[in-house]
């Protein structure tokens, strides 16, 4: 068998543009008008023209590729009977789904049966972002969320179809119950999934939902936000997502919280952090001070000799734990404030204190 790709001097994967380019180049070279009396050029020109006629036609090219791979006469091979024009015909019927899928993968056609659209399908989830206040996140709150919701159509149970008053031929397969597919020399038939091979339909589009299977409406939901949520927390509201199809369950609604910041408290995980000022004498001599917490005021003991930046923990004064019981802690960082010497008496006292604790002694241990 003649390899027409070799006649034109192109590869089997050559694009149509490359095939045209090769044909024009060779045709000019071997054209009879340019080679009068040259029988070899005349014969070569015929071969080039025949090769281009086949390779420039997608169907003829497919047939040529099959014959190159399987040999001449492959159209009447062992897999099926040859139809008109040398096509092989297959009928997979209802049971040979595996074979139809196999041919679909090889030839890139829709030889496999269409996906069954009548099986129950779960609805998709919906995600919404909700901004809440700092203390609402700690204590929990109930808020309203407006949502364009879906519910399954009660008339068709979410299928989009209802029983028809009269049976009619299936428009998908023209009443034959089979869907034909053609790929080059191959022709194969599969069962029509719309009518399940019966060729007739006993359903029609639901008029209540216009065939969509769902009813859409604006709905306001009351959402309970549990205590302890943080930015990025997800609150699930079961069954409030998109409607399922064909009796399938609804999806869920997920509320993603975005918590506002607080001017005094800082939240890190389940713990609350804050910074409070203390005087130099409180830090030096020790004291018991009152500090704010998310629950009110609490007493903190500052021991003598406290340094600026030192932290003290208040157990159980943090954010509630979302999983399990209990709460985080609150960390109080002290900031020692240097007094302003605005009068002579204050300056005199600071000089006396400086004489008792000279700064040189503090820096004497520095090594460079």
């Amino acid at each position: 068998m003649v390899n027409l790709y070799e006649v034109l001097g192109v590869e089997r994967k050559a694009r149509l543009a490359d095939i045209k380019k090769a044909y024009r180049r060779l045709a000019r070279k071997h054209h009879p008008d340019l080679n009068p009396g040259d029988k070899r050029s005349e014969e070569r020109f015929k071969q080039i023209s025949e090769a281009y006629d086949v390779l420039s036609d997608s169907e003829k090219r497919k047939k040529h590729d099959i014959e190159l791979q399987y040999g001449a006469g492959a159209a009447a091979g062992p897999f099926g009977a040859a139809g008109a024009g040398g096509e092989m015909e297959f009928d997979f019927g209802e049971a040979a789904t595996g074979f139809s899928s196999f041919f679909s993968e090889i030839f890139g056609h829709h030889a496999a049966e269409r996906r069954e659209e009548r099986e129950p399908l779960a609805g998709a989830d919906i995600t919404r972002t909700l901004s809440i206040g700092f203390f609402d996140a700690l204590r929990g709150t109930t808020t309203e969320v407006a949502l364009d919701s879906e519910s399954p159509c009660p008339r068709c149970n979410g299928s989009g179809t209802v029983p028809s008053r009269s049976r009619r031929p299936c428009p998908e397969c023209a009443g034959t119950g089979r869907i034909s597919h053609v790929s080059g020399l191959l022709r194969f038939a599969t069962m029509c999934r719309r009518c399940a091979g019966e060729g007739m339909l006993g359903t029609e589009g639901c008029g209540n939902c216009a065939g969509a299977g769902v009813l859409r409406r604006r709905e306001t939901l009351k959402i309970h936000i549990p205590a302890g949520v943080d930015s990025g927390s997800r609150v699930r509201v079961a069954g409030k997502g998109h409607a399922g199809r064909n009796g399938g369950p609804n999806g869920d609604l997920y509320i993603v919280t975005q918590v506002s910041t607080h001017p005094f408290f800082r939240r890190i995980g389940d713990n609350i952090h804050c910074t409070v000022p203390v005087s130099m004498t409180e830090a030096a001599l020790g004291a018991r001070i009152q500090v704010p917490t998310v629950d009110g005021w609490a007493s903190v003991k500052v021991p003598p000799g406290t340094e600026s930046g030192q932290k003290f923990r208040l157990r159980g004064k943090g954010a509630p734990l979302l999983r399990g019981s209990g709460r985080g802690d609150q960390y109080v960082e002290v900031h020692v404030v240097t007094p302003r010497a605005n009068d002579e008496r204050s300056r005199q006292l600071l000089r006396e204190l400086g004489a008792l604790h000279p700064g040189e002694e503090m820096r004497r241990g520095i090594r460079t």
Side-chain angles (χ1 to χ4, degrees), residues 15-311:
R15 299 174 302 172
L16 181 58
D18 297 329
I19 294 173
K20 288 182 178 179
K21 183 178 179 181
Y23 166 70
R24 289 169 182 168
R25 176 177 54 82
L26 293 173
R28 283 194 299 266
K29 180 179 178 181
H30 297 283
H31 198 281
D33 293 343
L34 300 177
N35 300 276
D38 189 340
K39 296 296 182 181
R40 292 187 59 185
S41 293
E42 184 177 349
E43 184 64 27
R44 177 70 170 144
F45 182 78
K46 290 180 180 179
Q47 294 175 354
I48 295 168
S49 300
E50 291 174 359
Y52 179 71
D53 179 66
V54 172
L55 298 184
S56 62
D57 185 287
S58 60
E59 292 300 322
K60 293 180 180 179
R61 184 175 179 179
K62 287 180 182 179
K63 179 179 178 181
H64 178 65
D65 290 344
I66 293 175
E67 290 182 345
L68 278 181
Q69 185 171 357
Y70 299 107
F79 297 101
E87 295 176 342
M88 289 189 289
E89 298 182 355
F90 301 81
D91 190 342
F92 293 101
E94 301 181 13
T97 305
F99 286 103
S100 64
S101 299
F102 172 74
F103 275 90
S104 176
E105 293 177 2
I106 293 179
F107 297 105
H109 259 270
H110 299 293
E113 295 133 326
R114 294 193 328 175
R115 178 183 176 184
E116 177 58 73
E117 297 179 351
R118 298 172 185 170
E119 62 185 16
L121 297 175
D125 296 330
I126 298 175
T127 301
R128 291 288 184 272
T129 300
L130 177 66
S131 298
I132 61 175
F134 182 84
F135 284 103
D136 286 338
L138 294 177
R139 298 164 182 167
T141 185
T142 299
T143 186
E144 292 185 346
V145 174
L147 192 69
D148 291 325
S149 63
E150 294 179 346
S151 59
C153 176
R155 182 180 177 189
C156 64
N157 194 30
S159 67
T161 59
V162 293
S164 176
R165 294 180 180 178
S166 60
R167 290 170 61 84
R168 65 188 190 282
C170 174
E172 191 77 14
C173 62
T176 64
R178 294 287 185 272
I179 302 293
S180 296
H181 310 273
V182 178
S183 177
L185 300 177
L186 301 181
R187 180 190 299 274
F188 39 95
T190 57
M191 181 186 71
C192 176
R193 298 303 295 265
R194 182 170 181 180
C195 64
E198 294 182 6
M200 302 293 290
L201 292 178
T203 60
E204 61 185 13
C206 176
N208 191 43
C209 62
V214 296
L215 300 177
R216 296 176 176 85
R217 60 190 176 92
R218 190 73 172 175
E219 184 179 8
T220 300
L221 302 176
K222 284 191 174 182
I223 308 296
H224 173 66
I225 305 298
V229 297
D230 201 355
S231 290
S233 297
R234 286 161 56 94
V235 179
R236 175 175 172 262
V237 184
K240 290 301 181 179
H242 290 298
R245 300 295 192 271
N246 305 321
N250 289 357
D252 298 326
L253 169 65
Y254 285 93
I255 300 295
V256 180
T257 54
Q258 186 66 40
V259 181
S260 62
T261 59
H262 191 273
F264 179 74
F265 296 111
R266 303 185 308 277
R267 181 173 175 179
I268 303 177
D270 295 321
N271 298 321
I272 302 294
H273 295 252
C274 66
T275 301
V276 296
V278 295
S279 68
M280 186 176 67
T281 54
E282 288 176 325
L285 302 176
R288 183 170 290 277
I289 62 174
Q290 296 294 311
V291 298
T293 72
V294 295
D295 300 317
W297 292 86
S299 177
V300 174
K301 181 181 180 181
V302 178
T306 294
E307 302 285 348
S308 188
Q310 194 168 337
K311 294 182 179 181

